[in-house]
Amino acid sequence: MNMSYRLRVYSLLLLALAAPIAGWISVSRQFMRDIACPLSSTTTTCLKKSRISFPSRTAATTLSLHQRRDILETFFKMTFLASGVVVSLSLLQPTSPALAAYIDPATDPPTITKRVYLDVSFDNAKGEATSGRIVVGLFGDAMPKTVDNFVTLCASNAYAGTSFYRVISDFSIQGGAIGDATGRTGKSSLENGKGFEPDNYNIKHTKTGLISMVKGLDGVVDSRFFINCSDNGGWGDDRYAAFGIVEKGLDLVKQIELVPVQPPKNAPKSPVKIVASGVV
C-alpha cells in the first residue's frame, strides 16, 4: 500500500473515531459526577456541577438511575459504532503484496496448459555456430490473458526475425521485441499491437527458466519477454508477470547467457536470433 493511500485511510480513521471518543469523554465525566454526587436534593454544590436540578430525593434517585442507564447505553453504542468504522476501513484497504496469493513454482508449480517453441540461432561464447529449440510450458489457468497473447504470437510465427537483445549473465536474457530490434518497444497480439495489463503478478521468480513479460515504462506489456537465469529471481516478484517455464532447451538458454555482450546495454556482440516460433 503506497504512502498517500495509507495517509488517507488513517485520516478517515481519525475523523471517524473523533466523535465517539469526544462523546465517550463527555459521558465519562458526567458518569463520574453522578457517582461522586450523593442522591440528595440538599447537595447544592454537587447538583450544580452535574447541572441537574432535582425537586426531591425520590425524583433525584429516579432520574439519576435513568441517566446512568442512558449513559451506559450511549457508551456501548459509541463503542460499537467505532468498532464498525475500524472494521469497514480495514475492508477498504487493498491487499498488500505480502498477503497476495503467491504461487511458488519451486514448490507448487502451476498447471501447464499449452506449449510453444522458439527456434534460436547464435554463435556461442567460443564463436561456434549453435542452434536449437526452446520449448516453453505455459500456465494458462493462472495467467490466461498473458498466455493467450504469447500463444497467438508464437502460432503466427511473429517472433521470427526478432532477437534476444539484452543478455545479463546469471540474471536474465530478454527478447521478443517485435518491430524494434533495440528492445524499447514491442507489439502484442491485440489490435494495432497495443499493450495490456497482465493478469497478475502472483507467480514468484524462484526457478531458473521461468519466462516473464517485460513491462514497459507505461506499465503495460506487449511481445517482449525475459527468461530467468537464476533460482533467486526475487527482484522480479511483484514487478514482472511470470507466465511459463522452459521445459526443453535450458542448455541453450545457458549458452546464450554466456555470449559476449557490449556494455552498457548488454546487447550481444553477435546476434542471437529467433528464427521461428510456433505451437507444440
Side-chain angles (χ1 to χ4, degrees):
M1 182 170 62
N2 60 44
M3 184 61 68
S4 62
Y5 185 89
R6 187 176 301 171
L7 289 174
R8 288 198 299 270
V9 170
Y10 289 161
S11 297
L12 287 173
L13 181 61
L14 289 173
L15 288 173
L17 292 180
I21 290 174
W24 182 84
I25 293 173
S26 176
V27 165
S28 298
R29 291 176 63 187
Q30 185 64 49
F31 191 52
M32 293 305 294
R33 285 171 182 167
D34 289 342
I35 292 174
C37 290
L39 297 178
S40 171
S41 59
T42 60
T43 316
T44 306
T45 303
C46 189
L47 291 178
K48 286 183 179 179
K49 288 182 179 179
S50 64
R51 298 177 183 177
I52 300 173
S53 178
F54 299 126
S56 67
R57 178 182 176 85
T58 303
T61 304
T62 303
L63 289 173
S64 184
L65 289 175
H66 280 291
Q67 184 187 33
R68 293 180 186 185
R69 183 195 64 188
D70 293 340
I71 287 170
L72 290 174
E73 286 181 355
T74 303
F75 171 75
F76 286 119
K77 284 178 182 178
M78 288 182 173
T79 304
F80 179 77
L81 176 62
S83 301
V85 170
V86 172
V87 171
S88 298
L89 287 175
S90 66
L91 292 175
L92 290 175
Q93 180 175 332
T95 304
S96 65
L99 300 177
Y102 284 131
I103 300 172
D104 189 344
T107 57
D108 186 23
T111 301
I112 292 175
T113 58
K114 294 181 180 179
R115 291 177 172 84
V116 296
Y117 67 84
L118 302 169
D119 287 340
V120 296
S121 177
F122 60 97
D123 291 341
N124 64 20
K126 297 179 181 180
E128 302 168 340
T130 306
S131 61
R133 173 167 291 186
I134 298 172
V135 176
V136 179
L138 303 171
F139 309 140
D141 291 339
M143 304 290 291
K145 182 169 60 175
T146 308
V147 165
D148 183 66
N149 174 67
F150 195 70
V151 169
T152 301
L153 292 174
C154 286
S156 63
N157 201 26
Y159 282 120
T162 65
S163 65
F164 283 93
Y165 55 85
R166 182 173 294 117
V167 173
I168 306 175
S169 181
D170 200 35
F171 193 76
S172 71
I173 61 173
Q174 300 178 26
I178 297 174
D180 185 357
T182 66
R184 286 192 293 266
T185 62
K187 294 181 180 180
S188 75
S189 63
L190 303 182
E191 185 179 359
N192 298 323
K194 65 180 181 180
F196 64 94
E197 185 71 26
D199 304 86
N200 57 68
Y201 299 93
N202 292 348
I203 299 175
K204 301 183 73 174
H205 295 72
T206 57
K207 198 169 179 62
T208 300
L210 277 172
I211 184 168
S212 303
M213 297 303 293
V214 171
K215 187 164 59 175
L217 296 176
D218 53 0
V220 297
V221 299
D222 40 58
S223 61
R224 293 168 294 171
F225 62 88
F226 68 86
I227 299 176
N228 193 31
C229 295
S230 170
D231 290 337
N232 184 20
W235 52 269
D237 293 346
D238 297 315
R239 298 176 61 195
Y240 300 104
F243 63 95
I245 191 167
V246 173
E247 292 188 297
K248 295 180 181 180
L250 194 57
D251 58 320
L252 291 168
V253 173
K254 287 299 181 181
Q255 290 184 64
I256 294 172
E257 188 183 351
L258 298 176
V259 300
V261 297
Q262 180 67 45
K265 294 184 178 181
N266 287 77
K269 292 182 177 180
S270 179
V272 179
K273 291 289 187 180
I274 298 176
V275 297
S277 65
V279 178
V280 176

